[in-house]
């Protein structure tokens, strides 16, 4: 009987300990290392130095090295600015000094290898494509306007010089970035993007949920609630996309069902011109009528469908006489822009007449599929010239 009581008592103690652990908000999936990465990233971005000092001390107790934490604070300046970065680094130095004076363990860890000094734009673009599941192919901008310079800074500095430092994994860096943005607040588009990046890089949905739940205790309830809401939206979008892909596979379609935004055929993947597009598009030739005896002049109509965020490069329809293109919008929402003019929002029923020899681009809105009929106007010595991509920094400003 005493043995049974002892066994029951031990079981109750284990259950109570597990309940207490959950009551404190301790993670069931998120490692202590990731808990600390998230906490110090969010607190440093928020600028709460008093709480940050305690979390830095806890992180060092949990086995994070000085260089681990320093790397988070170095990355912080790209998202929250140098003041937050420098203040956080001062807190780290203070904690290290106090620990060493008290004889507590301090591990400095490894320093990163030297980062690349050549082809930094290409390397940064490759990192962005990997983190965010994109297929950008644009070259380094030659213009020096604000948007072009911002694009260069993002590719060459943030995603090459900083993210290329190899003493933290991309998985950990994206967790840190998402936590920083959660701590900053009011940056939900960027937070959503980096939640996606964190998931793509190896963090699980449960880990992200636990990280953001813990923010309620060590950062703030408002920041935690907002981050969890954005996480739910990202996960819902991913599930919707996965369901659509599954339906497309089931029906053996060459496109996802949500691409069908008009009565016209969607067609096949636009592989022949994929190098001139950012994102995926589909092409369905509808009609081609020769209008000259030699067949060199013809009148053709095709339906082009763009996934959200997809657009073609800047390009020109050259012709000595006639030529150009007419766009008839038939589904979703999109954009058209001529060089030197503001972008024009497009909806079904809109018609755009593009003169020959005018530099322009067109494509979908960031949050909508889009389809238009492309009418090729016959012209003498007609040809297309494909130019540079529409930079993310320019496109992302369109609302």
């Amino acid at each position: 009987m005493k043995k049974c009581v002892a066994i029951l008592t031990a079981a109750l103690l284990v259950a109570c300990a597990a309940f207490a652990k959950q009551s404190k908000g301790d993670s069931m999936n998120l490692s202590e290392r990731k808990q600390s990465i998230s906490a110090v990233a969010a607190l440093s971005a928020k600028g709460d130095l008093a709480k940050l000092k305690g979390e830095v001390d806890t992180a060092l107790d949990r086995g994070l090295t000085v260089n681990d934490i320093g790397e988070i604070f170095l990355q912080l300046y790209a998202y929250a600015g140098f003041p937050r970065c420098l203040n956080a680094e001062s807190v780290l130095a203070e904690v290290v000094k106090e620990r060493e004076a008290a004889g507590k363990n301090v591990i400095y860890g490894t320093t990163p290898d030297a980062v690349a000094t050549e082809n930094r734009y290409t390397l940064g673009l490759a990192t962005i494509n990997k983190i965010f599941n994109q297929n950008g192919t644009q070259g380094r901008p030659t213009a020096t306007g604000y948007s072009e310079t911002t694009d260069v800074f993002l590719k060459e500095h943030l995603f090459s010089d900083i993210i290329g430092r190899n003493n933290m994994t991309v998985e950990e860096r994206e967790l840190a970035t998402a936590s920083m943005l959660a701590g900053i607040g009011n940056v939900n588009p960027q937070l959503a993007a980096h939640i996606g990046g964190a998931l793509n890089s190896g963090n699980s949905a449960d880990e992200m949920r636990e990280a953001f739940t813990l923010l309620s205790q060590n950062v703030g309830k408002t920041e935690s609630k907002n981050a969890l809401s954005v996480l739910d939206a990202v996960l819902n979008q991913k599930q919707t996309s996965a369901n659509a892909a599954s339906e497309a596979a089931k029906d053996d379609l060459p496109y996802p069902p949500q691409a069908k935004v008009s009565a016209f055929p969607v067609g096949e993947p636009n592989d022949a011109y994929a190098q001139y597009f950012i994102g995926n598009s589909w092409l369905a030739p509808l009609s081609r009528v020769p209008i000259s005896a030699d067949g060199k002049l013809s009148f053709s109509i095709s339906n082009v469908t763009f996934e959200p965020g997809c657009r073609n490069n800047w390009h020109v329809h050259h012709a000595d006489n006639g030529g150009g293109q007419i766009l008839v919008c038939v589904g979703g929402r999109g954009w058209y822009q001529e060089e030197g003019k503001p972008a024009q929002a497009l909806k079904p029923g809109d018609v755009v007449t593009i003169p020959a020899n005018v530099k322009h681009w067109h494509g979908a809105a960031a949050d909508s599929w889009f389809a238009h009929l492309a009418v090729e106007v016959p012209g003498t010595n007609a040809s297309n010239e494909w130019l540079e991509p529409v930079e993310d920094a320019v496109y992302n400003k369109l609302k």
Side-chain angles (χ1 to χ4, degrees):
M1 182 68 180
K2 290 182 179 180
K3 185 175 181 180
C4 291
V5 171
I7 293 173
L8 287 172
T9 300
L12 285 171
L13 289 173
V14 170
C16 288
F19 178 78
K21 182 177 182 181
Q22 290 182 338
S23 298
K24 292 179 182 177
D26 289 344
S27 168
M28 300 299 290
N29 292 292
L30 197 66
S31 68
E32 287 190 339
R33 176 178 174 83
K34 284 190 172 182
Q35 289 180 43
S36 284
I37 288 173
S38 177
V40 299
L43 283 169
S44 60
K46 185 177 181 179
D48 190 335
L49 302 184
K51 285 187 177 180
L52 177 62
K53 184 175 181 181
E55 286 295 337
V56 168
D57 196 44
T58 298
L60 292 170
D61 284 339
R62 286 174 167 173
L64 269 73
T65 69
V66 174
N67 286 339
D68 287 334
I69 301 171
E71 199 67 29
I72 295 171
F73 296 159
L74 173 65
Q75 183 172 320
L76 172 69
Y77 97 82
Y79 295 96
F82 271 118
R84 291 280 195 264
C85 164
L86 296 175
N87 289 341
E89 288 180 349
S90 295
V91 168
L92 175 59
E94 183 180 353
V95 172
V96 169
K97 183 177 180 180
E98 291 177 358
R99 288 177 69 95
E100 290 179 337
K104 297 181 71 173
N105 188 38
V106 176
I107 302 173
Y108 281 83
T110 58
T111 55
D113 295 335
V115 297
T117 58
E118 297 181 356
N119 300 318
R120 292 161 57 237
Y121 189 92
T122 301
L123 292 172
L125 178 60
T127 299
I128 288 174
N129 284 341
K130 182 177 181 181
I131 291 175
F132 301 110
N133 280 343
Q134 296 179 358
N135 61 349
T137 59
Q138 64 266 33
R140 191 181 194 276
T142 56
T144 56
Y146 292 117
S147 60
E148 293 87 358
T149 302
T150 299
D151 179 66
V152 170
F153 284 178
L154 282 169
K155 304 291 195 306
E156 295 189 351
H157 186 48
L158 174 55
F159 285 97
S160 182
D161 293 347
I162 297 178
I163 307 302
R165 291 164 65 89
N166 63 358
N167 57 340
M168 285 194 77
T169 65
V170 174
E171 177 180 340
E172 292 176 339
R173 287 187 182 279
E174 280 300 294
L175 171 62
T177 300
S179 300
M180 291 172 194
L181 296 171
I184 293 172
N186 297 319
V187 288
N188 284 357
Q190 291 76 23
L191 174 57
H194 282 282
I195 287 174
L199 295 170
N200 294 339
S201 301
N203 297 282
S204 71
D206 286 340
E207 286 179 316
M208 297 304 296
R209 187 173 301 283
E210 289 166 4
F212 291 157
T213 299
L214 289 173
L215 295 185
S216 178
Q217 302 172 31
N218 52 33
V219 178
K221 292 182 179 179
T222 299
E223 291 83 356
S224 173
K225 183 178 179 180
N226 179 67
L228 288 169
S229 175
V230 176
L231 172 63
D232 285 338
V234 171
L235 293 176
N236 287 338
Q237 179 59 43
K238 280 184 170 287
Q239 187 59 54
T240 299
S241 298
N243 291 343
S246 177
E247 287 300 314
K250 185 187 304 183
D251 297 335
D252 196 27
L253 296 173
Y255 54 85
Q258 64 267 36
K260 185 69 174 175
V261 294
S262 77
F264 294 93
V266 177
E268 300 290 332
N270 193 12
D271 294 336
Y273 293 91
Q275 61 182 314
Y276 306 121
F277 283 68
I278 291 177
N280 296 311
S281 65
W282 288 260
L283 179 65
L286 302 179
S287 177
R288 181 180 182 277
V289 180
I291 60 174
S292 65
D294 58 8
K296 291 183 178 181
L297 292 180
S298 64
F299 183 89
S300 66
I301 304 176
S302 298
N303 185 38
V304 186
T305 302
F306 304 76
E307 69 177 355
C310 176
R311 65 273 190 188
N312 50 33
N313 290 7
W314 290 96
H315 58 286
V316 178
H317 303 291
H318 291 290
D320 294 339
N321 292 293
Q325 189 179 56
I326 298 172
L327 306 180
V328 181
C329 306
V330 294
R333 294 188 302 107
W335 293 100
Y336 168 78
Q337 185 176 22
E338 293 182 7
E339 185 177 37
K341 296 182 180 180
Q344 173 186 341
L346 300 177
K347 64 184 185 303
D350 289 341
V351 177
V352 179
T353 300
I354 306 170
N357 308 310
V358 171
K359 184 177 178 180
H360 65 283
W361 68 270
H362 38 102
D367 59 352
S368 174
W369 287 81
F370 177 60
H372 65 57
L373 302 182
V375 181
E376 304 299 327
V377 179
T380 305
N381 295 325
S383 66
N384 286 348
E385 180 184 10
W386 291 99
L387 302 168
E388 73 277 8
V390 179
E391 300 295 346
D392 292 341
V394 174
Y395 178 81
N396 290 339
K397 292 180 181 178
L398 301 176
K399 302 296 182 184

